[in-house]
mmCIF file of all heavy atoms in Angstrom:
data_model
loop_
_atom_site.group_PDB
_atom_site.id
_atom_site.type_symbol
_atom_site.label_atom_id
_atom_site.label_comp_id
_atom_site.label_asym_id
_atom_site.label_seq_id
_atom_site.Cartn_x
_atom_site.Cartn_y
_atom_site.Cartn_z
ATOM 1 N N GLY A 28 -41.876 -53.877 -27.801
ATOM 2 C CA GLY A 28 -42.254 -53.310 -29.062
ATOM 3 C C GLY A 28 -41.422 -52.201 -29.435
ATOM 4 O O GLY A 28 -41.954 -51.203 -30.108
ATOM 5 N N PHE A 29 -40.230 -52.066 -28.915
ATOM 6 C CA PHE A 29 -39.265 -51.040 -29.227
ATOM 7 C C PHE A 29 -39.894 -49.599 -28.912
ATOM 8 O O PHE A 29 -39.601 -48.660 -29.642
ATOM 9 C CB PHE A 29 -38.818 -51.014 -30.709
ATOM 10 C CG PHE A 29 -38.162 -52.297 -31.176
ATOM 11 C CD1 PHE A 29 -38.773 -53.246 -31.870
ATOM 12 C CD2 PHE A 29 -36.801 -52.598 -30.675
ATOM 13 C CE1 PHE A 29 -38.123 -54.418 -32.247
ATOM 14 C CE2 PHE A 29 -36.126 -53.678 -30.992
ATOM 15 C CZ PHE A 29 -36.908 -54.702 -31.747
ATOM 16 N N ASP A 30 -40.544 -49.489 -27.802
ATOM 17 C CA ASP A 30 -41.294 -48.258 -27.524
ATOM 18 C C ASP A 30 -40.276 -47.164 -26.900
ATOM 19 O O ASP A 30 -40.610 -46.057 -26.754
ATOM 20 C CB ASP A 30 -42.453 -48.472 -26.549
ATOM 21 C CG ASP A 30 -42.003 -49.122 -25.254
ATOM 22 O OD1 ASP A 30 -40.833 -49.274 -25.038
ATOM 23 O OD2 ASP A 30 -42.902 -49.531 -24.524
ATOM 24 N N GLY A 31 -39.049 -47.615 -26.460
ATOM 25 C CA GLY A 31 -38.165 -46.770 -25.875
ATOM 26 C C GLY A 31 -38.322 -46.382 -24.545
ATOM 27 O O GLY A 31 -37.440 -45.775 -23.820
ATOM 28 N N VAL A 32 -39.453 -46.751 -23.993
ATOM 29 C CA VAL A 32 -39.651 -46.461 -22.472
ATOM 30 C C VAL A 32 -38.728 -47.191 -21.584
ATOM 31 O O VAL A 32 -38.298 -46.658 -20.617
ATOM 32 C CB VAL A 32 -41.147 -46.887 -22.188
ATOM 33 C CG1 VAL A 32 -41.408 -46.739 -20.663
ATOM 34 C CG2 VAL A 32 -42.140 -45.995 -22.979
ATOM 35 N N TYR A 33 -38.359 -48.441 -21.939
ATOM 36 C CA TYR A 33 -37.535 -49.159 -21.058
ATOM 37 C C TYR A 33 -36.056 -49.359 -21.618
ATOM 38 O O TYR A 33 -35.296 -50.259 -21.255
ATOM 39 C CB TYR A 33 -38.146 -50.669 -20.855
ATOM 40 C CG TYR A 33 -39.461 -50.662 -20.299
ATOM 41 C CD1 TYR A 33 -40.557 -50.730 -21.118
ATOM 42 C CD2 TYR A 33 -39.606 -50.565 -19.029
ATOM 43 C CE1 TYR A 33 -41.907 -50.771 -20.731
ATOM 44 C CE2 TYR A 33 -40.946 -50.485 -18.511
ATOM 45 C CZ TYR A 33 -42.061 -50.638 -19.232
ATOM 46 O OH TYR A 33 -43.333 -50.607 -18.731
ATOM 47 N N GLU A 34 -35.664 -48.374 -22.427
ATOM 48 C CA GLU A 34 -34.388 -48.581 -23.129
ATOM 49 C C GLU A 34 -33.274 -48.684 -22.154
ATOM 50 O O GLU A 34 -32.431 -49.551 -22.177
ATOM 51 C CB GLU A 34 -34.113 -47.300 -24.019
ATOM 52 C CG GLU A 34 -32.778 -47.364 -24.731
ATOM 53 C CD GLU A 34 -32.676 -46.062 -25.687
ATOM 54 O OE1 GLU A 34 -33.655 -45.337 -25.812
ATOM 55 O OE2 GLU A 34 -31.564 -46.020 -26.131
ATOM 56 N N LEU A 35 -33.133 -47.772 -21.111
ATOM 57 C CA LEU A 35 -32.156 -47.862 -20.111
ATOM 58 C C LEU A 35 -32.178 -49.119 -19.281
ATOM 59 O O LEU A 35 -31.204 -49.829 -18.967
ATOM 60 C CB LEU A 35 -32.079 -46.693 -19.276
ATOM 61 C CG LEU A 35 -31.032 -46.526 -18.035
ATOM 62 C CD1 LEU A 35 -29.644 -46.682 -18.676
ATOM 63 C CD2 LEU A 35 -31.272 -45.358 -17.222
ATOM 64 N N GLN A 36 -33.474 -49.449 -18.819
ATOM 65 C CA GLN A 36 -33.619 -50.668 -17.990
ATOM 66 C C GLN A 36 -33.177 -51.902 -18.863
ATOM 67 O O GLN A 36 -32.623 -52.872 -18.242
ATOM 68 C CB GLN A 36 -35.116 -50.834 -17.637
ATOM 69 C CG GLN A 36 -35.416 -52.074 -16.807
ATOM 70 C CD GLN A 36 -36.906 -52.145 -16.411
ATOM 71 O OE1 GLN A 36 -37.561 -51.119 -16.432
ATOM 72 N NE2 GLN A 36 -37.378 -53.337 -15.996
ATOM 73 N N ASP A 37 -33.571 -51.956 -20.090
ATOM 74 C CA ASP A 37 -33.178 -53.125 -20.907
ATOM 75 C C ASP A 37 -31.666 -53.313 -21.064
ATOM 76 O O ASP A 37 -31.148 -54.372 -20.901
ATOM 77 C CB ASP A 37 -33.755 -52.987 -22.283
ATOM 78 C CG ASP A 37 -35.310 -53.202 -22.404
ATOM 79 O OD1 ASP A 37 -35.911 -53.720 -21.440
ATOM 80 O OD2 ASP A 37 -35.884 -52.697 -23.407
ATOM 81 N N TRP A 38 -31.019 -52.143 -21.202
ATOM 82 C CA TRP A 38 -29.562 -52.131 -21.387
ATOM 83 C C TRP A 38 -28.939 -52.636 -19.924
ATOM 84 O O TRP A 38 -27.971 -53.560 -19.928
ATOM 85 C CB TRP A 38 -29.032 -50.767 -21.609
ATOM 86 C CG TRP A 38 -27.526 -50.833 -21.882
ATOM 87 C CD1 TRP A 38 -26.620 -50.579 -20.875
ATOM 88 C CD2 TRP A 38 -26.743 -51.238 -23.016
ATOM 89 N NE1 TRP A 38 -25.326 -50.833 -21.402
ATOM 90 C CE2 TRP A 38 -25.418 -51.221 -22.733
ATOM 91 C CE3 TRP A 38 -27.303 -51.506 -24.316
ATOM 92 C CZ2 TRP A 38 -24.486 -51.460 -23.623
ATOM 93 C CZ3 TRP A 38 -26.192 -51.835 -25.245
ATOM 94 C CH2 TRP A 38 -24.900 -51.801 -24.927
ATOM 95 N N LEU A 39 -29.429 -51.983 -18.807
ATOM 96 C CA LEU A 39 -28.746 -52.398 -17.543
ATOM 97 C C LEU A 39 -29.009 -53.794 -17.270
ATOM 98 O O LEU A 39 -28.163 -54.549 -16.584
ATOM 99 C CB LEU A 39 -29.298 -51.488 -16.474
ATOM 100 C CG LEU A 39 -28.972 -49.957 -16.682
ATOM 101 C CD1 LEU A 39 -29.655 -49.151 -15.597
ATOM 102 C CD2 LEU A 39 -27.414 -49.864 -16.624
ATOM 103 N N GLU A 40 -30.196 -54.391 -17.557
ATOM 104 C CA GLU A 40 -30.438 -55.748 -17.254
ATOM 105 C C GLU A 40 -29.699 -56.627 -18.139
ATOM 106 O O GLU A 40 -29.157 -57.674 -17.605
ATOM 107 C CB GLU A 40 -31.961 -56.039 -17.447
ATOM 108 C CG GLU A 40 -32.848 -55.423 -16.313
ATOM 109 C CD GLU A 40 -34.322 -55.582 -16.540
ATOM 110 O OE1 GLU A 40 -34.744 -56.217 -17.493
ATOM 111 O OE2 GLU A 40 -35.193 -55.138 -15.570
ATOM 112 N N ALA A 41 -29.449 -56.403 -19.341
ATOM 113 C CA ALA A 41 -28.689 -57.045 -20.290
ATOM 114 C C ALA A 41 -27.166 -57.036 -19.797
ATOM 115 O O ALA A 41 -26.517 -58.102 -19.778
ATOM 116 C CB ALA A 41 -28.771 -56.535 -21.667
ATOM 117 N N GLU A 42 -26.789 -55.943 -19.513
ATOM 118 C CA GLU A 42 -25.420 -55.793 -18.857
ATOM 119 C C GLU A 42 -25.159 -56.653 -17.709
ATOM 120 O O GLU A 42 -24.149 -57.323 -17.623
ATOM 121 C CB GLU A 42 -25.154 -54.266 -18.512
ATOM 122 C CG GLU A 42 -23.668 -53.985 -18.166
ATOM 123 C CD GLU A 42 -23.443 -52.536 -17.971
ATOM 124 O OE1 GLU A 42 -24.379 -51.869 -17.309
ATOM 125 O OE2 GLU A 42 -22.420 -51.976 -18.363
ATOM 126 N N ALA A 43 -26.035 -56.632 -16.756
ATOM 127 C CA ALA A 43 -25.948 -57.439 -15.671
ATOM 128 C C ALA A 43 -25.977 -58.879 -15.908
ATOM 129 O O ALA A 43 -25.191 -59.635 -15.278
ATOM 130 C CB ALA A 43 -27.074 -57.063 -14.563
ATOM 131 N N GLU A 44 -26.782 -59.291 -16.784
ATOM 132 C CA GLU A 44 -26.891 -60.611 -17.224
ATOM 133 C C GLU A 44 -25.604 -61.127 -17.863
ATOM 134 O O GLU A 44 -25.082 -62.273 -17.400
ATOM 135 C CB GLU A 44 -27.999 -60.849 -18.113
ATOM 136 C CG GLU A 44 -28.197 -62.224 -18.547
ATOM 137 C CD GLU A 44 -29.388 -62.439 -19.553
ATOM 138 O OE1 GLU A 44 -29.926 -61.487 -19.976
ATOM 139 O OE2 GLU A 44 -29.633 -63.626 -19.839
ATOM 140 N N ILE A 45 -24.965 -60.495 -18.816
ATOM 141 C CA ILE A 45 -23.780 -60.908 -19.535
ATOM 142 C C ILE A 45 -22.645 -60.844 -18.533
ATOM 143 O O ILE A 45 -21.851 -61.710 -18.521
ATOM 144 C CB ILE A 45 -23.578 -59.861 -20.747
ATOM 145 C CG1 ILE A 45 -24.654 -60.058 -21.712
ATOM 146 C CG2 ILE A 45 -22.278 -60.238 -21.275
ATOM 147 C CD1 ILE A 45 -24.955 -61.434 -22.258
ATOM 148 N N ASP A 46 -22.522 -59.848 -17.656
ATOM 149 C CA ASP A 46 -21.422 -59.724 -16.754
ATOM 150 C C ASP A 46 -21.489 -60.892 -15.737
ATOM 151 O O ASP A 46 -20.485 -61.463 -15.477
ATOM 152 C CB ASP A 46 -21.446 -58.404 -15.976
ATOM 153 C CG ASP A 46 -21.031 -57.281 -16.817
ATOM 154 O OD1 ASP A 46 -20.455 -57.486 -18.030
ATOM 155 O OD2 ASP A 46 -21.062 -56.142 -16.388
ATOM 156 N N THR A 47 -22.702 -61.201 -15.381
ATOM 157 C CA THR A 47 -22.778 -62.323 -14.316
ATOM 158 C C THR A 47 -22.364 -63.788 -15.055
ATOM 159 O O THR A 47 -21.693 -64.544 -14.402
ATOM 160 C CB THR A 47 -24.310 -62.421 -13.918
ATOM 161 O OG1 THR A 47 -24.566 -61.307 -13.131
ATOM 162 C CG2 THR A 47 -24.511 -63.686 -12.945
ATOM 163 N N LYS A 48 -22.801 -63.909 -16.302
ATOM 164 C CA LYS A 48 -22.628 -65.083 -16.993
ATOM 165 C C LYS A 48 -21.118 -65.351 -17.464
ATOM 166 O O LYS A 48 -20.516 -66.465 -17.441
ATOM 167 C CB LYS A 48 -23.493 -65.272 -18.269
ATOM 168 C CG LYS A 48 -24.872 -65.565 -17.891
ATOM 169 C CD LYS A 48 -25.625 -65.840 -19.155
ATOM 170 C CE LYS A 48 -27.139 -66.216 -18.884
ATOM 171 N NZ LYS A 48 -27.992 -66.345 -19.929
ATOM 172 N N PHE A 49 -20.464 -64.287 -17.762
ATOM 173 C CA PHE A 49 -19.222 -64.373 -18.443
ATOM 174 C C PHE A 49 -18.007 -63.557 -17.762
ATOM 175 O O PHE A 49 -16.865 -63.845 -18.103
ATOM 176 C CB PHE A 49 -19.235 -63.877 -19.938
ATOM 177 C CG PHE A 49 -20.178 -64.700 -20.753
ATOM 178 C CD1 PHE A 49 -21.470 -64.273 -20.995
ATOM 179 C CD2 PHE A 49 -19.902 -65.976 -21.126
ATOM 180 C CE1 PHE A 49 -22.388 -65.066 -21.760
ATOM 181 C CE2 PHE A 49 -20.737 -66.751 -21.805
ATOM 182 C CZ PHE A 49 -21.919 -66.267 -22.141
ATOM 183 N N TYR A 50 -18.261 -62.684 -16.954
ATOM 184 C CA TYR A 50 -17.203 -61.800 -16.424
ATOM 185 C C TYR A 50 -17.054 -61.827 -14.923
ATOM 186 O O TYR A 50 -16.358 -61.132 -14.372
ATOM 187 C CB TYR A 50 -17.418 -60.338 -16.917
ATOM 188 C CG TYR A 50 -17.069 -60.247 -18.331
ATOM 189 C CD1 TYR A 50 -18.290 -60.299 -19.263
ATOM 190 C CD2 TYR A 50 -15.985 -60.013 -18.921
ATOM 191 C CE1 TYR A 50 -18.078 -60.249 -20.643
ATOM 192 C CE2 TYR A 50 -15.712 -59.871 -20.199
ATOM 193 C CZ TYR A 50 -16.851 -60.089 -21.188
ATOM 194 O OH TYR A 50 -16.597 -59.963 -22.442
ATOM 195 N N ARG A 51 -17.903 -62.719 -14.218
ATOM 196 C CA ARG A 51 -17.634 -62.956 -12.829
ATOM 197 C C ARG A 51 -17.296 -64.208 -12.430
ATOM 198 O O ARG A 51 -17.528 -65.177 -12.944
ATOM 199 C CB ARG A 51 -18.914 -62.415 -12.141
ATOM 200 C CG ARG A 51 -19.022 -60.852 -12.338
ATOM 201 C CD ARG A 51 -20.303 -60.413 -11.508
ATOM 202 N NE ARG A 51 -20.471 -59.096 -11.916
ATOM 203 C CZ ARG A 51 -21.433 -58.322 -11.581
ATOM 204 N NH1 ARG A 51 -22.458 -58.815 -10.844
ATOM 205 N NH2 ARG A 51 -21.531 -57.032 -11.942
#
């Protein structure tokens, strides 16, 4: 709900996911 509480967690999880799929 765009509450901002998980902003860093969302970014880090997205980063790990993209890096795993396309950069490793």
Side-chain angles (χ1 to χ4, degrees):
F29 299 106
D30 59 11
V32 174
Y33 300 99
E34 183 176 353
L35 179 58
Q36 180 180 342
D37 291 339
W38 183 270
L39 294 175
E40 288 175 0
E42 184 176 43
E44 180 180 9
I45 296 302
D46 284 351
T47 298
K48 286 184 178 182
F49 297 104
Y50 292 92
R51 291 186 187 170

